[in-house]
């Protein structure tokens, strides 16, 4: 195995399964970083946090976990958005969230003394990959780091199956109150 060491920002345990496997197969030594101030409600946050812990233990992943419920930081970032992003699915709103999480991941990467990071957000076929990549690269540049872009989407179903087999909590929406409404709300 190579001595390449990377920080992997993780949105949840299930979405970490495949990217972790793929990066390790590429020869990376991976450290995890769970930080998701967008997740709402609090019980959902706790369920994802607990599942991430279980996954990290099962997979032998050394992980830094931001346990604080950071919803206020997310809401303050969303407050910056122009009118109209609160309703229907909005790439602009999601972009604000990606930037917040990638900035925090880049700061954690720098603090850990690593030179590169990536994110499990890149495994989901439901995310805006171009916006994630832009946010990751911008934050990396601001911190003097590298952002490792990988299109992990081909492994999405495999990762989900691995998570089910491991008995992990499987969420039904991205995480924020807006995505929860988009998934479960009345869409007349």
């Amino acid at each position: 195995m190579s001595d390449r060491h990377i920080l992997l920002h993780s949105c949840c345990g299930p979405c970490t399964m495949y990217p972790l496997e793929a990066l390790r197969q590429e020869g990376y030594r991976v450290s995890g970083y769970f930080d998701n101030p967008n997740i709402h409600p609090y019980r959902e946050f706790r369920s994802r946090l607990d599942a991430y812990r279980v996954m990290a233990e099962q997979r032998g992943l050394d992980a830094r976990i931001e346990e604080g419920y950071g919803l206020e930081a997310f809401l303050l970032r969303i407050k910056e958005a122009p009118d109209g992003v609160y309703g229907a699915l909005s790439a602009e709103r999601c972009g604000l969230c990606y930037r917040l999480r990638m900035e925090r991941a880049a700061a954690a990467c720098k603090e850990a003394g690593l030179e590169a990071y990536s994110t499990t957000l890149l495994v989901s076929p439901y995310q805006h990959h171009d916006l994630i990549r832009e946010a990751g690269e911008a934050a990396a540049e601001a911190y003097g780091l590298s952002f490792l872009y990988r299109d992990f989407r081909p492994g999405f179903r495999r990762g989900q199956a691995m998570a089910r087999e491991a008995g992990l909590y499987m969420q039904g929406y991205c995480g924020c109150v807006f995505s929860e409404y988009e998934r479960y709300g009345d869409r007349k």
Side-chain angles (χ1 to χ4, degrees):
M1 180 181 267
S2 168
D3 63 350
R4 297 182 301 168
H5 193 173
I6 190 167
L7 185 82
L8 180 62
H9 165 264
S10 296
C11 59
C12 63
C15 287
T16 303
M17 300 293 267
Y18 179 77
L20 176 61
E21 176 183 78
L23 289 170
R24 284 177 170 171
Q25 286 175 354
E26 286 184 38
Y28 285 95
R29 187 164 52 115
V30 181
S31 290
Y33 177 63
F34 179 90
D35 178 44
N36 297 287
N38 63 311
I39 299 174
H40 177 79
Y42 180 73
R43 287 189 302 183
E44 180 71 18
F45 172 78
R46 290 302 311 178
S47 294
R48 293 182 191 206
L49 175 64
D50 293 344
Y52 183 77
R53 265 200 194 96
V54 168
M55 179 281 311
E57 186 175 322
Q58 288 176 349
R59 298 291 188 241
L61 177 65
D62 176 44
R64 175 177 164 186
I65 297 173
E66 299 294 342
E67 296 193 38
Y69 187 49
L71 187 63
E72 185 176 352
F74 171 71
L75 293 176
L76 287 171
R77 181 61 62 101
I78 293 300
K79 186 178 175 186
E80 299 171 8
D83 291 340
V85 300
Y86 299 108
L89 179 63
S90 169
E92 187 169 352
R93 185 189 69 234
C94 293
L96 290 168
C97 182
Y98 299 147
R99 287 192 295 276
L100 172 63
R101 292 194 277 171
M102 294 303 93
E103 289 162 8
R104 291 165 63 128
C109 183
K110 188 74 168 185
E111 187 178 300
L114 302 178
E115 296 177 1
Y117 74 102
S118 191
T119 180
T120 64
L121 293 168
L122 296 169
V123 79
S124 174
Y126 307 108
Q127 301 294 333
H128 305 276
H129 273 240
D130 291 342
L131 295 177
I132 296 166
R133 185 178 200 165
E134 288 172 19
E137 289 173 350
E141 184 176 336
Y143 282 87
L145 303 167
S146 296
F147 178 73
L148 180 71
Y149 174 80
R150 289 289 185 273
D151 186 352
F152 294 120
R153 289 176 289 193
F156 177 73
R157 298 281 174 231
R158 174 170 164 63
Q160 296 294 292
M162 292 166 60
R164 279 187 199 88
E165 186 177 304
L168 297 182
Y169 168 73
M170 306 284 290
Q171 64 271 10
Y173 61 99
C174 178
C176 78
V177 65
F178 307 106
S179 67
E180 180 186 27
Y181 177 72
E182 289 160 357
R183 172 73 164 85
Y184 300 114
D186 183 15
R187 298 189 216 182
K188 291 183 182 178

